[in-house]
């Protein structure tokens, strides 16, 4: 398998954690999201991922090279094809709780705060750095407040009980990101506690952006 | 089952289509997203959905009332508990393609263009109507361009082959939305063709916003 990613991409970070938890290895190919206007827009990478986004996972599917895209679709694929270690609980209702937590990050926070959106705000809407920071903080705070309440109900050592799941896989990269943008984490004690615990685990440590070969 | 939704919410629209395709019935409860600053923020609704978003699906889980949130998590739950009619293909790779298409809408387009984001642009960033429209169009165009290329490869009568799937369930509400905001659909012949075909199907027709009891 080949994982096309970028050290600081939250979506690639998610897939790295999932692969580590499942002890899956992949060759890492770096797609620099900033250099030369973004290597994800190169003609070569467009052949791999028409969305011009990372991550992409190239797999061998019965002798054919295939490309998987969208981090959550990639992780659900792995969950099906490599069921050990499970990243979703087995009961349908429990599974829906974990997926809902993951989607709170993946649909309510991350899409509003990623690089291309911050670039649009600055370039097209002449948003000042101060207002851009307020935008960033606003969506993190809204999402984390909702998540914090879900965690009060369902968390143990991890987001859902005492084993890592898709929810932690989405949460930890988002917290990494939030801290980079200096979001005050004190209103979210459960998120903070779970993030700290996750980062004691080797699968999470090995996936940290700064521990990637292309980190700069 | 009770589905808390709103006629114009794209996320509620997705769940309505999925339930219709699976012939599942639910009592519809309207949560007006605009009236009085948004009924989703009422104390009563917060008890049901801490994220203050629609849709929420209240179910009976072995005698206990439980609430499911996040449209994609709700639909995946239904897919597991009510496997007929299947909304995902059976092969893992095919499934990942359908999920990736759905996530292109759910993570790349819809989060940037929903009501709360457009309100933030107007209220906090003093974005003009013209620039707000350009923002809206930009993210639709980016997402639809990517999706159009995926459809060239995988579509039949529907997004993936000749049966409706999670991808169509996400696409149709997004096209409804895009048309409302006067996005030119001519660069996306496959999206347009599939949308037209979907809207000949009863499950999709019955889910159209204007066909809901709370439409105004």
């Amino acid at each position: 398998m080949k994982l096309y990613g970028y050290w600081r991409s939250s979506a690639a970070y998610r897939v790295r954690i999932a692969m580590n938890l499942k002890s899956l290895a992949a060759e890492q190919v770096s797609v620099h999201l900033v250099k030369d206007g973004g290597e994800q827009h190169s003609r070569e990478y467009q052949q791999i991922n028409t969305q011009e986004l990372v991550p992409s996972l190239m797999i061998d599917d019965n002798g054919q090279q295939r490309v998987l895209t969208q981090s959550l679709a990639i992780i659900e694929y792995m969950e099906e094809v490599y069921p050990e270690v499970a990243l979703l609980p087995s009961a349908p209702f429990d599974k829906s709780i974990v997926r809902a937590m993951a989607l709170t990050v993946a649909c309510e926070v991350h899409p509003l705060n990623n690089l291309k959106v911050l670039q649009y705000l600055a370039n097209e809407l002449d948003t000042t750095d101060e207002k851009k920071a307020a935008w960033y903080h606003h969506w993190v705070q809204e999402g984390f407040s909702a998540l914090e309440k879900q965690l009060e109900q369902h968390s143990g050592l991890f987001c859902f009980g005492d084993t890592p799941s898709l929810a932690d896989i989405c949460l930890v990269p988002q917290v990494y990101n939030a801290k980079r943008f200096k979001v005050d984490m004190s209103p979210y004690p459960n998120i903070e506690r779970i993030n700290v615990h996750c980062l004691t685990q080797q699968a999470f440590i090995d996936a940290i952006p700064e521990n990637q070969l292309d980190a700069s």
Side-chain angles (χ1 to χ4, degrees), chain A:
Chain A
M1 294 197 278
K2 260 190 205 177
L3 179 63
Y4 295 82
Y6 180 60
W7 63 292
R8 250 184 186 163
S9 154
S10 295
Y13 188 177
R14 291 175 196 155
V15 175
R16 290 196 301 264
I17 300 169
M19 295 190 80
N20 293 346
L21 285 167
K22 288 181 177 290
S23 303
L24 297 171
E27 181 190 338
Q28 306 282 326
V29 183
S30 177
V31 180
H32 200 297
L33 297 190
V34 184
K35 205 168 62 185
D36 303 331
E39 290 178 354
Q40 72 277 25
H41 304 306
S42 71
R43 194 165 295 182
E44 195 192 343
Y45 189 68
Q46 280 180 33
Q47 299 301 315
I48 294 165
N49 186 324
T50 59
Q51 294 170 70
E52 305 172 29
L53 295 172
V54 294
S56 304
L57 185 70
M58 195 174 276
I59 58 160
D60 182 280
D61 184 41
N62 295 318
Q64 269 201 294
Q65 270 201 341
R66 309 256 209 183
V67 176
L68 309 181
T69 64
Q70 286 289 341
S71 59
L72 295 186
I74 294 172
I75 295 169
E76 293 270 2
Y77 172 88
M78 287 178 187
E79 184 70 356
E80 198 167 347
V81 177
Y82 308 101
E84 303 294 322
V85 172
L87 303 177
L88 290 168
S90 54
F93 176 73
D94 294 348
K95 213 177 279 186
S96 91
I97 296 294
V98 169
R99 284 199 177 110
M101 288 179 182
L103 290 165
T104 297
V105 171
C107 296
E108 311 294 338
V109 182
H110 181 247
L112 291 156
N113 287 355
N114 63 23
L115 183 66
K116 63 183 179 178
V117 173
L118 299 178
Q119 284 172 339
Y120 189 102
L121 289 176
N123 300 340
E124 306 296 328
L125 300 181
D126 298 322
T127 308
T128 61
D129 284 351
E130 196 187 340
K131 289 210 160 183
K132 231 169 58 180
W135 163 280
Y136 187 98
H137 286 211
H138 176 79
W139 302 113
V140 171
Q141 284 157 358
E142 193 181 89
F144 278 9
S145 298
L147 203 54
E148 185 67 19
K149 288 180 207 150
Q150 293 168 282
L151 294 175
E152 280 168 18
Q153 261 190 285
H154 301 288
S155 69
L157 289 171
F158 294 94
C159 286
F160 189 86
D162 292 330
T163 49
S165 73
L166 183 62
D168 306 284
I169 287 171
C170 289
L171 179 64
V172 168
Q174 189 61 63
V175 173
Y176 169 86
N177 226 301
K179 292 192 172 191
R180 205 178 132 214
F181 283 83
K182 306 196 192 318
V183 172
D184 172 19
M185 293 295 294
S186 63
Y188 318 112
N190 283 295
I191 293 178
E192 182 67 3
R193 170 182 63 78
I194 290 162
N195 182 61
V196 166
H197 181 67
C198 286
L199 291 173
T200 64
Q201 310 287 306
Q202 202 58 43
F204 286 84
I205 293 169
D206 290 344
I208 290 172
E210 280 70 18
N211 294 343
Q212 307 314 303
L213 286 173
D214 60 341
S216 60

